[in-house]
Amino acid sequence: EMYSRVMYGDHPAGRVSATPATLDAITRDAMVELHKTRYVPDHAVLAIAGDISMAEARRVIDVQLGRWQKAGTAAPTTSDPAMPPAGQVHFVARPNSVQTTLWVASPAIARTSPDYDIVSVMNAVIGGGPTGRLFTHLREEKGYTYGAYSNISAAQYRGNWLATMDVRTEVTDPALTDLMAEIARMRNEAVPTKEFDDKRRGMVASFALSLESPNAVLGNHITRWLYKLPADYWDKLPDRIMAVTQAQVQEAARKYLDPARLHIVAVGDATKIAETLKKFGAVATYEHGKSIAIMR
């Protein structure tokens, strides 16, 4: 909830869940109207994968959805969320918590950005799965957490890069310090050649294995349709990944992992970690979702 509020503000992407007040305000008539205007085929795609012919698929669709009529509803529009303010620590107090949940985020890219493949490789190096630097450093080497990962959220609007981990309260300081050090390392040092080559080959191999799943293949087609990607987009993915260079990844890290734009969201015991968090910037403290203080 706090991450979405910080990174997306009033943008629809920042609305994580309903509140008692908004639930109470919903009426049956409002739901019926929403269904009439939005649950329509005007801008929908129907995708099928499996042991079925086109003729049989059409027959099933005609039987089940033949009376589903267009409503003339305009296509929904999207826009980028406003850029969040300068980086800050956002602390949600959770009394007696035995763990600290840490999310570190930075504004990134939309799905159609020309940097998408480069940022994907960058993310794979730092936090993509159990071979990423965050996992091997913070779990395997230090034992701070069961897992530390990062990902890119990229939709039709500008998304974010996000690293997450849950750590024992007593190691909040060194865990967050080491996570921030890994971010700095991505910015300041080119990825060593062997690590870089292994990561790119791993991404290509993982993509190839995913094609064994009809769901994955279908998802790829829907992604291409949704974002209006070229017809050969997935055919050329391996070549594009292998064409990404170390210099491009370092430049992407400098651009998208800028310390001035990094926001840290922490949930934990105020009596044990509030002072620690001050080391990482101004701290806005919240209880029950409401701001109660800013500490520097």
Side-chain angles (χ1 to χ4, degrees):
E1 293 271 4
M2 185 57 62
Y3 156 80
S4 297
R5 181 191 304 182
V6 169
M7 300 307 295
Y8 292 111
D10 294 331
H11 191 271
R15 301 170 194 164
V16 176
S17 60
T19 66
T22 57
L23 286 173
D24 288 342
I26 295 173
T27 65
R28 182 185 184 280
D29 289 344
M31 289 192 290
V32 170
E33 183 61 25
L34 176 69
H35 190 273
K36 286 181 178 178
T37 57
R38 293 299 178 188
Y39 285 74
V40 292
D42 299 52
H43 312 290
V45 60
L46 178 62
I48 298 174
D51 185 12
I52 187 172
S53 68
M54 176 64 80
E56 177 62 14
R58 286 185 179 275
R59 188 193 69 77
V60 172
I61 293 166
D62 286 341
V63 169
Q64 301 296 334
L65 298 173
R67 292 187 295 173
W68 195 26
Q69 298 299 313
K70 290 185 177 182
T73 302
T77 59
T78 58
S79 60
D80 283 346
M83 291 293 287
Q88 190 175 358
V89 181
H90 308 267
F91 174 51
V92 181
R94 185 172 185 263
N96 302 314
S97 180
V98 298
Q99 286 189 324
T100 302
T101 293
L102 294 165
W103 288 21
V104 179
S106 176
I109 58 176
R111 183 61 177 80
T112 53
S113 167
D115 287 345
Y116 184 80
D117 292 325
I118 298 169
V119 172
S120 295
V121 176
M122 177 202 79
N123 179 70
V125 171
I126 189 170
T131 61
R133 289 177 172 181
L134 294 180
F135 191 97
T136 56
H137 181 172
L138 297 168
R139 171 180 167 148
E140 299 297 334
E141 295 175 11
K142 297 297 184 67
Y144 293 147
T145 177
Y146 281 115
Y149 307 95
S150 66
N151 65 76
I152 292 288
S153 61
Q156 291 177 334
Y157 47 83
R158 190 266 303 154
N160 307 307
W161 176 84
L162 172 66
T164 64
M165 62 178 175
D166 295 286
V167 302
R168 302 187 312 280
T169 297
E170 60 270 21
V171 298
T172 299
D173 187 346
L176 186 53
T177 297
D178 285 7
L179 188 154
M180 300 301 284
E182 287 295 352
I183 293 175
R185 180 184 173 198
M186 284 295 303
R187 291 170 47 82
N188 299 332
E189 302 175 12
V191 182
T193 299
K194 183 180 186 308
E195 179 186 7
F196 190 71
D197 289 345
D198 287 348
K199 186 59 65 175
R200 288 185 304 168
R201 284 195 295 266
M203 292 176 68
V204 171
S206 179
F207 170 70
L209 286 174
S210 75
L211 300 180
E212 296 180 356
S213 164
N215 282 336
V217 173
L218 202 61
N220 290 344
H221 282 286
I222 293 174
T223 296
R224 186 177 65 79
W225 174 85
L226 183 63
Y227 298 107
K228 298 179 174 59
L229 302 173
D232 60 356
Y233 179 85
W234 296 109
D235 295 329
K236 293 184 176 180
L237 177 65
D239 291 338
R240 293 199 311 273
I241 294 299
M242 295 306 295
V244 173
T245 68
Q246 291 148 287
Q248 287 176 315
V249 164
Q250 186 176 8
E251 180 59 30
R254 289 172 175 168
K255 181 177 181 180
Y256 297 112
L257 304 183
D258 182 355
R261 298 167 60 188
L262 286 173
H263 285 264
I264 299 170
V265 180
V267 179
D269 189 333
T271 65
K272 297 179 180 178
I273 67 170
E275 289 300 315
T276 288
L277 293 175
K278 292 181 184 179
K279 299 178 182 180
F280 302 93
V283 181
T285 302
Y286 305 82
E287 286 183 358
H288 308 298
K290 296 180 180 179
S291 177
I292 61 172
I294 295 181
M295 304 178 293
R296 299 182 183 276

